[in-house]
Amino acid sequence: MKILVVDDMPLMRHVLINMLRRLDYNDITEATDGAQAFDLIEKHSFDLVITDLHMPKMDGKCLLNHIRENPLLSDLPVLMVTCEDSKQTVNEMITAKVNGFIIKPFCLNTLQKQLSRIVKPE
């Protein structure tokens, strides 16, 4: 499974990648913002995008909208990670067809539960 991790904070990307590796996901690519992520998504095939919501250049919601608007990418699973837990934000992401939502800080078990819900066994 090829996973794209998108976060403007290097430490958060590092933590997330280490968690994914502990869950035996090893084909991982990093992006520092939504613009870089979307460029990578258009050039390479990914099975899952895990993105932060608040980032410079292009935020997670905008990235999600770009993915959903592209007929070739619209089925790509997207897991949103954020420290914002307002009902309005969660509802906006659901309306934008996000596949999963994790509130920071989170533990390995939370990530594993979301992944098992989103990712279909190969």
Side-chain angles (χ1 to χ4, degrees), residues 6 34 51-55 58-69 78 80-82 88-98 101:
V6 190
T51 182
D52 186 26
L53 178 57
H54 297 291
M55 298 178 288
M58 182 190 295
D59 67 14
K61 183 180 179 191
C62 192
L63 174 61
L64 175 62
N65 288 335
H66 280 327
I67 291 169
R68 294 296 176 249
E69 290 165 2
V78 177
M80 190 72 63
V81 179
T82 183
Q88 179 184 348
T89 300
V90 173
N91 286 336
E92 284 176 12
M93 294 307 109
I94 291 168
T95 301
K97 297 188 175 92
V98 76
F101 206 82

Side-chain angles (χ1 to χ4, degrees), residues 3 20-21 33-35 38 41 45 48 50 52 56 58 64 74 77 83 87 94-95 102 109 114 118:
I3 300 174
L20 289 166
R21 288 186 177 139
D33 59 59
F38 195 69
I41 291 167
S45 175
L48 173 66
I50 302 175
D52 186 26
M58 182 190 295
L64 175 62
S74 61
C83 53
K87 196 171 185 176
I94 291 168
T95 301
I102 295 179
N109 192 30
Q114 283 291 327
I118 295 170

Side-chain angles (χ1 to χ4, degrees), residues 22-47:
R22 286 181 58 196
L23 295 171
D24 289 325
Y25 295 102
N26 294 303
D27 194 352
I28 303 166
T29 304
E30 298 178 57
T32 57
D33 59 59
Q36 183 186 26
F38 195 69
D39 189 48
L40 286 166
I41 291 167
E42 289 186 309
K43 293 176 181 167
H44 306 282
S45 175
F46 292 96
D47 301 302

Side-chain angles (χ1 to χ4, degrees), residues 9 17 31 43 60 65 74 79 82 93 103 105 117 122:
M9 302 289 290
I17 288 167
K43 293 176 181 167
N65 288 335
S74 61
L79 177 60
T82 183
M93 294 307 109
I103 306 296
R117 199 180 58 70
E122 295 177 10

